[in-house]
Amino acid sequence: MTTSQAERDAMRRALALATTPGVPLGPNPRVGCVLLDDDGRVVAEGFHRGAGTPHAEADALARAGSDARGTTAVVTLEPCHHTGRTGPCSQALLAAGVRRVVFAQADPNPVARGGGEALREAGVEVAEGLLAAEARAVNRAWTFAHEHGRPFVTWKFATTLDGRSAAADGTSRWVSSRPARVDTHRLRALCDTILVGTNTVVVDDPRLTVRDADDRDLPVQLLRAVMGLRELPDDRRVLDDAAETVLLRTRDPHEALALLRARERQHVFLEGGPTLAAAFLAAGLVDEVVAYVAPMLLGSGRSSVGDLGIATIADAHHLDVVDVTVLGEGAETNVRLTMTPQRPVPLQED
């Protein structure tokens, strides 16, 4: 089914509404909705503000009131078809007398999907797929978690040009520049979990909070997850009340992610040491790599990643570079590389 220019413009507006500043990144998806009359004029707009609040469609319908009858609802995500903390949006649209529904992304959540088909069966015109890629990007981690049954994993590390995360004597302050550290906190704030190993906590005693440019904790913090079997000293800062902390008593990356998924976590920021990084890489559980490269050479010291069991260049892990950004200048320069691992292509059976 074709869509009009007014509907395409409305979808772009709905995507902007979905990404309204302050809207939580989880556990619910970010969704926007615009109601149009028959002439393509905006009747009302709405967006979802987080778990327990009205969904985008319900928000827009409430603002439109009786004017919602006969409109076209343009929504960034397929209207839900289940009852959770709020009722199904598919039924709300039907009850309001909406004539046509245009949505971007099909709902990957098996519990909530089905709204599009239910609306069709009730006689509502339904068009799907408009700006679907853009809509998926809005809820990248949420979509990934539902499609793969585990959180999306971003591995972040700082390294010298020759691949060292610390000098031979163990010192590492500062491989990353101040602009890189500020940028790291920006990336932390896009996730809902930060994950390190017990050795990092024992040796480095990090706080693992999200802070602003003045090093002040932000009001909303992510979950601090510490993975491993080693006992932690009671005085470690990760055990303070600045944010919630969970201890994952396992060394298995698959099990760790399963435990976090059970807590409805969607995006893990992996900031552990080289051993933990190697474990996740070897398990094929790294989905994005962010490296802050300092223009310095050490020649020896701790490697940025542990042993991957690779003996020949043919077995190397290859990454696709998707972004290169220079942060800072002079002695405070770092280059941020954002990369995605190349996934092996399955062999086709004859």
Side-chain angles (χ1 to χ4, degrees), residues 32 132 135 150 191 195 260:
R150 66 167 178 85
C191 305
L195 176 62
L260 292 172

Side-chain angles (χ1 to χ4, degrees), residues 57-108:
E57 300 94 319
D59 186 31
L61 291 172
R63 296 175 188 277
S66 60
D67 291 338
R69 182 164 297 279
T71 59
T72 294
V74 180
V75 197
T76 58
L77 182 68
E78 179 183 5
C80 68
H81 192 55
H82 86 300
T83 299
R85 297 185 186 181
T86 60
C89 291
S90 56
Q91 298 306 308
L93 292 166
L94 285 172
V98 169
R99 177 184 63 83
R100 174 174 163 88
V101 173
V102 178
F103 66 86
Q105 179 186 2
D107 197 328

